[in-house]
């Protein structure tokens, strides 16, 4: 990869985002607003003295789910627009390499994902008093990687859509099954064998497992780092696969 081409691509995408105020609001503000809704849902729950709040469990997992979903939507639609308007075709006539282009997009959206995750995690801790045993820095780290996972999956899925509506249709196929089987509603160990096996192949499961490790342990565990490594490998694999879709001509 060429660092200069990589940086130029990332700078171009960030410049476009800077002028798109609605996308910036969706990336930076919406996760915190949704987190507030989750907090208010459980605000009046009756708990015995010393019992953990439901928000501490559900809100923590939402720090992985919200960035994942939002970055998937924005990235897939933005990349599809680049394809259908001919921007990618024009870029492919320049000396830029496919990997430089895709990883440049990934870096640009990852910068926004990092800001998004840091803001949402700060709101969870400082506004809603999220109470877990682990270090908040690890929560931010997992949330950022999870948002980047949404970016990588969005870049990959955009290759199989022809319109923005088709890009959104990937939500019930790619995203919602992961939310259902990641361990939010039922612990993965309590699922039947079929669903448990399916969840093992879903990236969001490892994000939730990593956050649950952080919630239960004051220090980083080997299991957390393993889940974090799996997530990173999936991100790189999806970006590599997406790079093979770039030569496809838009209609």
């Amino acid at each position: 990869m060429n660092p200069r081409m990589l940086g130029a691509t990332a700078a171009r995408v960030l410049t476009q985002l800077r002028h798109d105020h609605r996308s910036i609001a969706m990336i930076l503000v919406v996760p915190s607003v949704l987190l507030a809704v989750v907090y208010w849902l459980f605000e009046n729950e009756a708990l015995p003295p010393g019992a953990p709040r439901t928000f501490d469990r559900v809100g923590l997992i939402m720090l992985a789910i919200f960035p994942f979903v939002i970055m998937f939507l924005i990235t897939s639609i933005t990349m599809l627009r680049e394809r259908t308007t001919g921007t990618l075709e024009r870029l492919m006539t320049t000396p830029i390499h496919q990997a430089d282009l895709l990883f440049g997009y990934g870096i640009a959206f990852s910068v926004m994902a990092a800001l998004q995750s840091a803001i949402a995690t700060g709101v969870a801790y400082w506004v809603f008093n999220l109470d877990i045993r682990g270090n908040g820095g690890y929560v931010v780290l997992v949330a950022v990687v999870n948002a980047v996972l949404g970016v990588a999956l969005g870049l990959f899925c955009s290759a199989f859509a022809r319109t923005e509506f088709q890009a959104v249709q990937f939500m019930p196929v790619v995203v919602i099954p992961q939310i259902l089987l990641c361990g939010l509603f039922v612990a993965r160990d309590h699922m039947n064998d079929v669903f448990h096996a399916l969840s093992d192949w879903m990236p969001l499961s490892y994000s939730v497992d990593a956050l649950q490790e952080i919630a239960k342990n004051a220090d980083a565990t080997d299991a957390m780092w393993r889940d974090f490594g799996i997530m990173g490998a999936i991100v790189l694999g999806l970006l590599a696969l997406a790079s093979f879709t770039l030569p496809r001509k838009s209609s």
Side-chain angles (χ1 to χ4, degrees):
M1 288 188 289
N2 186 323
R4 186 172 64 85
M5 292 290 187
L6 200 65
T9 301
R12 182 181 67 83
V13 176
L14 287 172
T15 300
Q16 289 177 337
L17 283 174
R18 185 167 58 88
H19 297 292
D20 188 349
H21 302 299
R22 283 180 296 182
S23 292
I24 290 177
M26 187 172 181
I27 292 172
L28 300 183
V29 179
V30 169
S32 297
V33 173
L34 294 175
L35 197 65
V37 173
V38 173
Y39 174 79
W40 289 324
L41 281 174
F42 300 106
E43 185 180 21
N44 296 322
E45 66 175 337
L47 293 172
R53 299 182 304 171
T54 302
F55 174 77
D56 292 332
R57 180 184 69 84
V58 176
L60 179 66
I61 296 177
M62 288 303 169
L63 289 174
I65 291 177
F66 289 153
F68 172 76
V69 173
I70 291 172
M71 294 310 297
F72 173 83
L73 276 175
I74 289 180
T75 305
S76 58
I77 291 173
T78 301
M79 192 64 175
L80 178 65
R81 192 175 300 154
E82 298 273 72
R83 293 177 185 273
T84 56
T85 57
T87 301
L88 282 182
E89 289 184 1
R90 291 192 295 271
L91 287 172
M92 293 309 296
T93 64
T94 69
I96 192 169
H97 191 272
Q98 291 98 323
D100 294 325
L101 190 61
L102 249 297
F103 279 85
Y105 276 94
I107 290 172
F109 283 111
S110 297
V111 169
M112 299 304 297
L115 291 174
Q116 176 194 70
S117 300
I119 292 171
T121 304
V123 168
Y125 272 94
W126 297 324
V127 179
F128 303 126
N129 299 313
L130 181 69
D131 185 18
I132 60 174
R133 296 191 63 188
N135 189 303
Y138 291 130
V139 176
V140 174
L141 184 63
V142 174
V144 168
V145 174
N146 209 59
V148 176
L149 177 63
V151 169
L153 196 58
L155 289 173
F156 177 69
C157 289
S158 69
F160 304 99
R162 296 287 183 176
T163 65
E164 293 183 8
F165 180 67
Q166 287 181 2
V168 173
Q169 287 177 323
F170 277 101
M171 280 285 294
V173 177
V174 176
V175 174
I176 293 179
Q178 296 196 59
I179 295 175
L180 293 175
L181 300 181
C182 70
L184 172 62
F185 301 104
V186 178
R188 294 206 301 134
D189 291 341
H190 296 163
M191 295 178 184
N192 64 44
D193 293 340
V194 174
F195 284 166
H196 189 278
L198 287 173
S199 70
D200 286 340
W201 290 92
M202 296 183 176
L204 193 58
S205 299
Y206 298 99
S207 302
V208 173
D209 286 350
L211 287 173
Q212 290 174 338
E213 283 292 312
I214 296 169
K216 294 183 295 185
N217 300 279
D219 298 318
T221 64
D222 291 340
M224 187 208 80
W225 288 120
R226 181 200 64 207
D227 293 329
F228 180 76
I230 292 172
M231 291 157 54
I234 292 172
V235 168
L236 293 176
L238 286 170
L239 288 175
L241 287 173
S243 67
F244 292 110
T245 69
L246 287 181
R248 183 174 70 87
K249 303 296 183 181
S250 59
S251 57

